[in-house]
Amino acid sequence: MVIALLLMVAGVAAPGSHTSTIDWSDTLLKDLDAADAAMRGSHPGAVDLRNPGFGAQLDEALAVARSRADRVASYQGYWWAMKGYAASFNDGHVSLNALADAPDIPTQWPGFLTGFDGDAQVVMTVDAGPGHPPLGARLLSCDGIDAQTLAARRVGDFSGRWNLQASRIQGGGEVLLEQGNPFVPTLRSCIFRVNGREQAHALRWTPLDPGSRKERLADTRRSFRPANGWHRMPDGGCWITTSSFNADPTAANFKELTRMLQQLTAAADALQQAPLIVLDVRGNSGGASHWSIELARLIWGREAVDAVRDGSWVEWRASEPNIAQLRGFLEKLKQAPDASPALLRMLETVTEGMVQAREQGQPLWRASGSDPAAAVSQAEQVGPGHKGRVVIVADASCGSACLDALDLWKRLGAMQVGVETSADSLYMDVRPERLPSGMARISVPMKVFRGRVRGSNEPHVPDRRYDGDMRDTAALEAWISGSGSIPLRPNRRSGAAAAE
C-alpha cells in the first residue's frame, strides 16, 4: 500500500436515550443500501473484468444481511448484521467501524477467556473467581458444538478471513464473550481437557467493563503496539520499531517516524556496521510504504533497493468519491513541512489520472508502475549496504503496508521471526464511507493490485516461530540475540517470498 489514507479512529460513546426510539430494522436496511451503493460505485471489484464473480458476491452479501432485518430490534442486532455484511467479503480492507454516536454494547464473560495456540483454543486469562478451568486448559466444545465450529460461527462469520491464523489469533478471544449478537445463541456450558481428562464447566455470565475487556482480549492475542523508536542492543546490534506506517501528517506517528529516520540517517555508519538489525513491526496494521522503503535504503543502500523489481502495477477506480478522498489527503499533505516530495508527486499524478479516466468514461485508471523500490526517492544514498543479519519481528497484526514492507525486506535478505502475519486481498487503499444512520462507517477499497507476487489473502509465515508472549520485548530481544540457530538467510519456502 503506497498511499496512506485517512481513517479516523472514532471512539464509541455511551448509550444515548434517543436510541430507544430508533427503528433498528429500518436503520439496518437503509445503511445496507448505502454500503451496497458505495461498494458498487467505488470498489474496483465491481468493474474488475478479472473478477467476474464480484457482482454475485455483492448481491449475496446484501441479500443475507437484509434477511436478518426481521430479527434486528436493537443496536446490537444492527451492529452484528452490519458486521456480518462486511465480513462476507473476506477482505480486511472492507471493515466496519463504529462512530461516536453509536451506543455502547454491554459485554459479559464467564470469568475466563480462551485464545488460539496454533489450532487449539486454550484458556489464556482468568479472574480470581472459583470454578474456572485453569490456564492452559483446552476447549473441546460448548453446548455440543465442537470448538472449531463454535469459533467460526461466533466470531469468524462476523469478522471474516477465518482461514487465516492471524484472524483466529486476533479474534479468538471473543469466542466466550456475550456481546448481544442475536444471530448466535447464549452458551450454557463448555467441556475442557485438563491434564488429559475432560471437565465440564457451567458458564456464569458477569459484566465485563470496556477497560477490562481490552486488557483480557490483549491477553488472548499476546501482542500489542510498542512505541516507535530505536535503540542499540548490547551486542552492537540495532533494534528499530515501526509499529505503524500511518502517513497522516497531523498524526503523532508521522512526526515520530520522520524524526527516527533523521536520527538513523545521522547514524548511518553505525547502522551499516551493526552485526544485527531488528525491524520490529509488532502492532503495525499498515499505512504507507514510504516508511519501509526509506528504512530499506538506509539499511541496504539505494542501489540494492532500487534493483528490486516486481513487475506489478495498480488500477484505481475512478469514482468521484475516490477522487475527492485523494484530493483531500493531498491538500492535507501539502500543509505538512516534512511531507515527502515523491509522495506528493505520486498523489498528484494518481488524482489527475483518475480525473482524466472519469472524463473519458473509463472505470479504472492504470498507474504507470507501482514498483515499491521506485515509489520514493531519497536525496543521497547512505552507505554501501548492510552485510550483517536483518531480522523482522512481526505478529498477527501485520497487514496492508506492513505486508508490503515484508515483501521488500525479505527479498533484500531479511528473515522473519514471530508468528504468522495477517494478509490482504488485491483490493486496497481504502476510503471511509459514513452510513446514513451516523452509527458506523464502512471502508471501501479504491485500487486493485495486478501482478503482485504474494497472492490474495496470503500471509507471511515466519522462518522461526516465537512461542512466547509477543508483548515481552526484553524476552524477544534476548531470544533473537542469543539464538545461534537463527540463520543468516531466510527460508525461501516461508510466506510470500518472491523469486530472486
Side-chain angles (χ1 to χ4, degrees):
M1 181 177 177
V2 177
I3 300 176
L5 301 171
L6 307 180
L7 287 176
M8 297 175 291
V9 179
V12 178
S17 58
H18 69 284
T19 60
S20 61
T21 62
I22 293 177
D23 183 336
W24 288 108
S25 178
D26 182 65
T27 298
L28 169 68
L29 294 174
K30 289 177 179 176
D31 277 8
L32 283 172
D33 286 344
D36 179 69
M39 294 287 282
R40 294 179 189 274
S42 290
H43 194 299
V47 293
D48 186 0
L49 297 180
R50 302 190 187 189
N51 187 7
F54 191 81
Q57 188 177 10
L58 283 170
D59 293 341
E60 182 177 3
L62 181 63
V64 170
R66 288 181 67 87
S67 72
R68 289 173 162 167
D70 60 352
R71 299 174 61 186
V72 172
S74 65
Y75 171 71
Q76 291 95 316
Y78 158 87
W79 175 254
W80 291 111
M82 288 297 305
K83 285 282 285 184
Y85 170 81
S88 69
F89 292 95
N90 272 314
D91 186 346
H93 285 117
V94 179
S95 62
L96 189 77
N97 300 95
L99 295 176
D101 286 340
D104 188 21
I105 292 182
T107 301
Q108 291 184 306
W109 75 319
F112 59 92
L113 295 177
T114 59
F116 273 85
D117 183 4
D119 291 331
Q121 296 172 62
V122 301
V123 176
M124 289 187 173
T125 185
V126 298
D127 67 9
H132 301 328
L135 290 172
R138 179 169 181 171
L139 177 65
L140 299 180
S141 65
C142 293
D143 296 344
I145 304 172
D146 70 272
Q148 298 297 327
T149 302
L150 190 78
R153 290 178 180 175
R154 292 179 65 82
V155 184
D157 287 352
F158 301 92
S159 61
R161 302 181 301 160
W162 202 241
N163 60 302
L164 296 176
Q165 184 182 88
S167 296
R168 298 192 296 273
I169 290 174
Q170 291 289 91
E174 298 187 41
V175 172
L176 295 183
L177 287 182
E178 285 296 332
Q179 303 178 85
N181 187 342
F183 310 111
V184 297
T186 299
L187 300 176
R188 299 184 302 274
S189 65
C190 299
I191 298 175
F192 295 83
R193 177 172 291 123
V194 181
N195 296 325
R197 302 182 64 181
E198 293 186 5
Q199 291 183 2
H201 289 268
L203 303 182
R204 298 176 177 85
W205 298 102
T206 59
L208 185 64
D209 65 83
S212 297
R213 180 184 187 275
K214 182 178 180 180
E215 293 177 4
R216 296 294 183 176
L217 287 176
D219 287 339
T220 68
R221 296 171 182 141
R222 296 181 177 177
S223 65
F224 80 128
R225 175 170 287 175
N228 290 318
W230 68 284
H231 67 271
R232 290 186 172 88
M233 302 166 68
D235 60 358
C238 183
W239 188 290
I240 302 171
T241 300
T242 53
S243 56
S244 172
F245 287 144
N246 182 4
D248 179 355
T250 65
N253 185 81
F254 184 94
K255 299 176 178 64
E256 291 166 0
L257 291 187
T258 298
R259 182 169 57 251
M260 185 175 70
L261 286 174
Q262 292 169 347
Q263 294 170 350
L264 290 173
T265 300
D269 290 342
L271 191 65
Q272 295 295 334
Q273 299 303 317
L276 170 67
I277 293 177
V278 178
L279 297 170
D280 180 2
V281 292
R282 286 174 297 165
N284 191 323
S285 58
S289 296
H290 162 73
W291 308 111
S292 60
I293 296 168
E294 289 282 11
L295 270 175
R297 285 202 169 101
L298 284 170
I299 295 168
W300 285 280
R302 168 185 287 276
E303 184 177 351
V305 175
D306 286 357
V308 176
R309 305 290 172 182
D310 65 8
S312 66
W313 72 96
V314 299
E315 291 181 308
W316 293 83
R317 178 72 188 273
S319 73
E320 286 293 349
N322 289 351
I323 293 169
Q325 176 71 12
L326 292 179
R327 279 176 171 162
F329 184 60
L330 176 60
E331 291 306 311
K332 197 170 187 179
L333 199 62
K334 286 179 179 178
Q335 305 305 314
D338 296 320
S340 162
L343 191 57
L344 285 167
R345 287 195 300 272
M346 184 188 308
L347 274 166
E348 291 170 347
T349 299
V350 171
T351 305
E352 291 171 1
M354 291 171 70
V355 169
Q356 292 175 6
R358 184 161 183 81
E359 290 174 347
Q360 296 168 5
Q362 299 297 318
L364 293 171
W365 175 76
R366 173 172 171 160
S368 58
S370 63
D371 178 69
V376 179
S377 62
Q378 186 170 305
E380 297 180 0
Q381 178 179 350
V382 182
H386 190 261
K387 304 302 181 185
R389 290 190 301 157
V390 181
V391 175
I392 305 164
V393 178
D395 62 12
S397 300
C398 183
S400 196
C402 179
L403 298 170
D404 295 341
L406 268 64
D407 288 344
L408 175 62
W409 295 343
K410 290 172 78 169
R411 291 187 69 184
L412 288 165
M415 63 157 297
Q416 176 191 348
V417 302
V419 299
E420 189 172 298
T421 68
S422 186
D424 57 10
S425 75
L426 300 179
Y427 299 117
M428 52 192 61
D429 272 22
V430 301
R431 68 169 180 83
E433 177 75 19
R434 183 184 176 93
L435 300 177
S437 69
M439 299 290 173
R441 67 169 183 264
I442 193 166
S443 58
V444 181
M446 299 190 294
K447 78 179 185 186
V448 56
F449 234 119
R450 304 296 195 193
R452 191 178 73 182
V453 174
R454 176 168 46 85
S456 179
N457 280 332
E458 180 181 353
H460 279 284
V461 179
D463 297 277
R464 278 206 66 195
R465 179 179 172 84
Y466 183 68
D467 293 321
D469 192 329
M470 290 290 290
R471 297 170 294 183
D472 192 337
T473 302
L476 265 170
E477 185 171 329
W479 178 72
I480 292 172
S481 298
S483 179
S485 60
I486 295 181
L488 177 64
R489 293 291 179 183
N491 173 6
R492 288 299 176 188
R493 292 175 299 173
S494 72
E500 295 292 323

